[in-house]
Amino acid sequence: MARPRVLILRAPGTNCDEETAYAFEVAGAESRRMHVLELLRSPASLHEYQILCIPGGFSFGDDIGAGKVFAGRLQQHLGEELARFRDADKLTLGICNGFQTLIKSGMLTTDKGSPLVEDETPDATLFWNDSGRYEDRWVNVASCGDRCVFLRGIERMYLPIAHAEGKFVARDERTLEELESSGRLALRYVDERCDPKSDVCYPCNPNGSQSNVAGLCDESGRIFGLMPHPERHLDPTNHPRWTRGEAGETGDGLALFVNAVRYFG
C-alpha cells in the first residue's frame, strides 16, 4: 500500500510543524513541511497530497487574534484550491493554532467546508480563555459520535493543551444545538467521570468552552480541528507520570494520526 502524503502547512510563528510531521510518519505516512508562501506560489501543488495539516504555534504572531492572519491568507488566496481538496475526499486537520485558523477561515463553520466569503458569518469561533491567561496543562478528552474520521475507535485521550484563545463559542444557542445534533461537536473536555455530556469545571475544561468542546469537525467528518496537542503524546514516556506506571503501551495521541493514514488504506 502506498503511503499517503501529508502536507504540513506552516507560517511565520508556527512551532509544532516538526513534531506533527514526525507524528504522521510514525503513523505510516510520508510528510512534508511547507511554508504557506511556497504554496501561494504554486497553489495546485496542494493536490499532490492526501492530508493537509495546519499545526500549532503562533502563526504571524497572533497579532490581531490567534490564527486570524493565517485564516485570511487561506480565504483570499487558496479558497478555490481548498474547496477542490475537500471535494476530492481528502482530509484536513488543524491542531491548536491550526484549529483557530480553520475555524476563523470558515472551513469548519460553513456547510461547504470551504473558506468564508465576505458576507458570511461563522457559526462559531474560539475566544479568550475564561481564566484570562495562557493555559498549559494536561486534560482528559472524550470523543462524541462516529462522524469524525480522525476519532474513529477512540473513546478518550489524555493530551496537553497550550493556548490563550481556546474557548469555543457558538454564534447563538440555536447554532450550538444544530452543531450538537449533527454530531459535529466531536471532542469534549471531561473529568474523571469521562462523560462527554456532563458539565465540567475549570481546570478540566481549561478555557470555558461551551458544551466542553475541545474539537469540531465539518459535516463530512473529514475536516477536524482540536485545541489539545495529540502530537505531544505519541510515546508512553511523553506522559507526565509515566514513571509512576500511568502511561499506556502507546501515547494516546498516536491513534488519531493512525486513523488518518488508515482512511487511505
Side-chain angles (χ1 to χ4, degrees):
M1 180 185 73
R3 301 171 67 191
R5 302 188 68 201
V6 184
L7 177 62
I8 310 294
L9 191 62
R10 63 186 182 89
T14 297
N15 60 21
C16 297
D17 46 317
E18 291 191 19
E19 298 96 317
T20 306
Y22 175 74
F24 274 109
E25 289 167 2
V26 171
E30 176 185 338
S31 61
R32 181 189 173 192
R33 296 159 52 233
M34 180 186 292
H35 195 286
V36 64
L37 294 182
E38 183 178 350
L39 184 60
L40 291 177
R41 286 195 295 269
S42 181
S45 64
L46 174 64
H47 305 293
E48 299 173 7
Y49 301 88
Q50 287 73 50
I51 303 171
L52 169 66
C53 181
I54 303 178
F58 304 90
S59 61
F60 296 96
D62 286 347
D63 287 341
I64 59 172
K68 187 67 175 177
V69 177
F70 205 168
R73 293 292 178 94
L74 299 182
Q75 288 174 298
Q76 296 172 25
H77 304 293
L78 293 169
E80 182 177 340
E81 299 299 338
L82 288 166
R84 285 180 54 205
F85 187 87
R86 175 186 181 275
D87 292 342
D89 196 32
K90 297 183 178 183
L91 302 181
T92 301
L93 175 66
I95 301 171
C96 196
N97 192 252
F99 182 18
Q100 294 162 336
T101 298
L102 291 181
I103 201 168
K104 292 177 182 179
S105 72
M107 291 178 67
L108 276 168
T109 53
T110 62
D111 291 338
K112 297 180 180 178
S114 56
L116 294 165
V117 295
E118 290 184 2
D119 61 346
E120 286 183 307
T121 302
D123 288 339
T125 191
L126 293 164
F127 195 62
W128 287 96
N129 300 341
D130 278 356
S131 65
R133 64 186 183 189
Y134 183 85
E135 294 286 342
D136 183 1
R137 64 180 68 250
W138 285 71
V139 296
N140 289 293
V141 290
S143 59
C144 304
D146 58 3
R147 180 177 294 274
C148 181
V149 168
F150 294 90
L151 297 177
R152 288 176 180 170
I154 298 175
E155 294 184 2
R156 63 172 294 183
M157 294 181 286
Y158 188 53
L159 301 173
I161 57 101
H163 60 255
E165 297 178 50
K167 179 180 179 178
F168 175 85
V169 181
R171 182 173 55 199
D172 50 40
E173 192 63 33
R174 178 180 177 181
T175 300
L176 184 64
E177 292 174 358
E178 290 174 350
L179 292 171
E180 171 82 58
S181 62
S182 64
R184 293 178 56 195
L185 305 182
L187 193 69
R188 314 282 185 103
Y189 299 109
V190 294
D191 56 19
E192 62 277 0
R193 295 171 294 177
C194 298
D195 181 357
K197 297 299 178 68
S198 296
D199 290 333
V200 297
C201 301
Y202 179 87
C204 296
N205 179 338
N207 45 47
S209 286
Q210 288 183 329
S211 298
N212 309 314
V213 174
L216 177 73
C217 70
D218 75 331
E219 289 282 354
S220 73
R222 292 184 283 104
I223 302 177
F224 178 51
L226 74 165
M227 288 311 299
H229 285 269
E231 81 283 3
R232 297 183 182 178
H233 192 190
L234 303 178
D235 188 88
T237 59
N238 296 145
H239 193 292
R241 295 180 300 280
W242 73 274
T243 56
R244 302 179 188 177
E246 296 186 27
E249 293 183 3
T250 62
D252 288 359
L254 181 59
L256 185 148
F257 299 99
V258 170
N259 277 342
V261 172
R262 285 178 176 168
Y263 184 74
F264 299 97

